[in-house]
Amino acid sequence: MEILSQIRQRSIVKMYGFCSHPAYKFIVYDYIQQGSLHGTLENEEFAKELDWQKRIALTNDVAQAISYLHHECSPPIIHRDITSNNILLDTTFKAFVSDFGTARILKPDSSNWSALAGTYGYIAPELSYTSVVTEKCDVYSFGVVVLELVMGKHPRDLLDGTMSNGEQVIMVKDILDQRLTTPTTEENRLSPLIKLAFSCLESSPQARPSMQEAYQMLIKRPSSSSCSVPFSTLTLQQVRKS
């Protein structure tokens, strides 16, 4: 709590202080008006207002916040529960990472063993057979959230079944949130975003990028040829191999 109260990063909910008393325990945070990303995606009106441009900007905010925790805090902090419920939005749809109830300090000279924590559907697969927590656990959860933003819902079916069948051709346009208009000017930024999501979801932690690398990929300006295939004919396999 003392470390969190010192954090000053624009995409992390500001904590002003806390009280730890035998009778009373509470934390004082900034109030974020819009509520969670999960609630926004479930609300038809708000989900439509959260257009592709806002979703891409939101992804950048979250990536920058997690990168700050991993690479700019000393000692580094692992959130361990990056989910759409723990990403809050203000009235302009700017994102703030919140809920550090399961966060842990990463100790370089320690094995970092810990009891399983997090939310089902966002937990990195390696935690099912090992209790060693690393920053790559947050990277995996971030990848799930990115796909959730693209699809407008949790990508459970895509992760559990569809992608395991390498023979099946999946069109990108078929997984996009149908409540929004088909991307046009944002195509060059959505394709790299989807590709980044799958790189964060690699089964091997070593194969995933660091959050610092992920953030740099997001803010890198796409070239005019980065999406040479129109969304109407683009497949997930093409995105992943590009």
Side-chain angles (χ1 to χ4, degrees):
M1 289 296 97
E2 290 174 355
I3 292 174
L4 291 175
S5 66
Q6 298 169 14
I7 290 178
R8 295 292 182 269
Q9 204 281 337
R10 61 185 182 139
S11 295
I12 295 175
V13 177
K14 184 177 179 180
M15 187 179 82
Y16 293 94
F18 63 94
C19 173
S20 181
H21 183 275
Y24 306 101
K25 296 182 188 297
F26 58 86
I27 303 173
V28 181
Y29 275 113
D30 261 339
Y31 173 65
I32 311 298
Q33 305 93 322
Q34 188 77 11
S36 73
L37 171 60
H38 177 79
T40 297
L41 291 175
E42 285 199 327
N43 182 298
E44 293 295 317
E45 180 182 348
F46 288 153
K48 291 178 182 178
E49 194 174 346
L50 188 62
D51 58 29
W52 293 121
Q53 186 174 0
K54 290 187 179 76
R55 295 188 190 200
I56 291 170
L58 190 157
T59 304
N60 293 359
D61 289 342
V62 174
Q64 186 180 37
I66 305 173
S67 177
Y68 173 86
L69 293 173
H70 290 182
H71 303 283
E72 296 182 51
C73 287
S74 182
I77 297 173
I78 306 175
H79 188 284
R80 295 208 302 167
D81 200 18
I82 298 294
T83 73
S84 58
N85 272 315
N86 290 336
I87 296 171
L88 304 182
L89 308 180
D90 66 11
T91 54
T92 66
F93 295 99
K94 174 175 170 49
F96 297 85
V97 174
S98 70
D99 196 343
F100 287 79
T102 62
R104 289 291 180 272
I105 294 171
L106 185 63
K107 301 176 182 178
D109 58 346
S110 171
S111 60
N112 292 293
W113 286 79
S114 177
L116 182 64
T119 302
Y120 177 75
Y122 297 87
I123 300 174
E126 64 268 18
L127 291 179
S128 63
Y129 55 84
T130 177
S131 298
V132 178
V133 178
T134 72
E135 70 276 12
K136 295 300 181 74
C137 298
D138 282 351
V139 174
Y140 182 90
S141 302
F142 172 74
V144 177
V145 169
V146 172
L147 281 187
E148 191 169 355
L149 270 169
V150 169
M151 299 173 66
K153 61 181 181 180
H154 190 281
R156 186 170 293 105
D157 293 340
L158 187 66
L159 298 176
D160 290 348
T162 310
M163 291 309 296
S164 62
N165 185 354
E167 301 298 321
Q168 186 171 351
V169 176
I170 307 163
M171 307 302 294
V172 169
K173 64 181 179 64
D174 292 334
I175 72 164
L176 298 181
D177 191 341
Q178 300 301 308
R179 295 170 295 187
L180 301 185
T181 57
T182 303
T184 52
T185 57
E186 298 299 331
E187 284 185 1
N188 281 356
R189 299 182 68 186
L190 268 181
S191 291
L193 184 63
I194 296 171
K195 181 178 180 179
L196 173 62
F198 281 110
S199 71
C200 292
L201 294 169
E202 289 285 352
S203 57
S204 168
Q206 292 74 24
R208 299 171 203 152
S210 68
M211 278 311 307
Q212 192 172 58
E213 291 169 336
Y215 176 62
Q216 289 302 318
M217 291 177 201
L218 286 171
I219 62 176
K220 181 180 178 182
R221 184 180 297 275
S223 65
S224 58
S225 60
S226 62
C227 185
S228 56
V229 182
F231 260 55
S232 58
T233 59
L234 188 65
T235 67
L236 283 183
Q237 286 81 352
Q238 287 173 315
V239 171
R240 298 183 75 182
K241 293 176 181 178
S242 63

